[in-house]
Amino acid sequence: MAGFVKSFNKWSTQFGIDSTLRAAHYIAQVAHETGELQWLEELSSGKQYEGRRDLGNTQPGDGPRFKGRGYLQTTGRANYQRYADSPYCVGSLMQHPEWLSKQPGCQKASMFFWQEHGLNELADRDDVRAVTRRINGGYNGLAQRCYFLDKAKRVLCP
């Protein structure tokens, strides 16, 4: 928890997560995606992503190599590459994808995704369904995400 708070405070403004409502939405999504900060790496092997061209997994072994990691579970060669090419990534992420399971990569990659996918604007509209769909591709865990959002709002948005 301490690592999340410290890195959130360090990077949130740079990625535009600069209001209490935006922070509440980000925290709610992270809480769901990580099992309340228990997992920074997907529990499955990643084999289910093997050959998924929509994720950029075009080389043998890409599924497990580029499985979900970080606070918002960056998944797939293409998404890892997008972050690796950004000015926020330092080092050879494509050679060391496990870096997204550790600070600062787990936070910065997630915030990069958040910003790049227009999630600040959706959070400003307080649209948890739209935020969830953009992150998840559907509404997986929507009830839990709503629960965490309500909890975060009670703390951050009195």
Side-chain angles (χ1 to χ4, degrees), residues 25-94:
H25 275 270
Y26 180 80
I27 290 166
Q29 295 293 328
V30 165
H32 174 78
E33 293 288 326
T34 63
E36 297 181 69
L37 301 178
Q38 292 181 75
W39 311 296
L40 296 182
E41 184 170 307
E42 192 168 347
L43 297 176
S44 73
S45 69
K47 287 182 182 177
Q48 71 272 27
Y49 303 122
E50 193 67 16
R52 291 267 313 265
R53 292 192 176 279
D54 61 317
L55 295 173
N57 291 343
T58 57
Q59 299 178 25
D62 277 355
R65 183 174 175 86
F66 298 107
K67 69 180 187 172
R69 292 186 179 93
Y71 290 130
L72 291 180
Q73 300 294 305
T74 300
T75 306
R77 176 181 281 278
N79 290 315
Y80 275 72
Q81 189 66 61
R82 197 169 289 115
Y83 175 64
D85 292 342
S86 80
Y88 307 107
C89 184
V90 177
S92 302
L93 177 65
M94 301 309 284

Side-chain angles (χ1 to χ4, degrees), residues 9-10 20 45 51 63 66 70 72 78 82 90 98 103-105 107 111 116-117 128-129 133 137 142 146-147 151 155:
N9 289 337
K10 182 173 183 175
T20 55
S45 69
F66 298 107
L72 291 180
R82 197 169 289 115
V90 177
E98 70 278 2
Q103 291 290 356
Q107 186 76 273
M111 288 182 165
E116 290 292 301
H117 287 84
V128 67
R129 289 181 59 84
R133 184 167 172 82
L142 181 62
C146 290
Y147 167 78
K151 200 171 179 180
V155 172

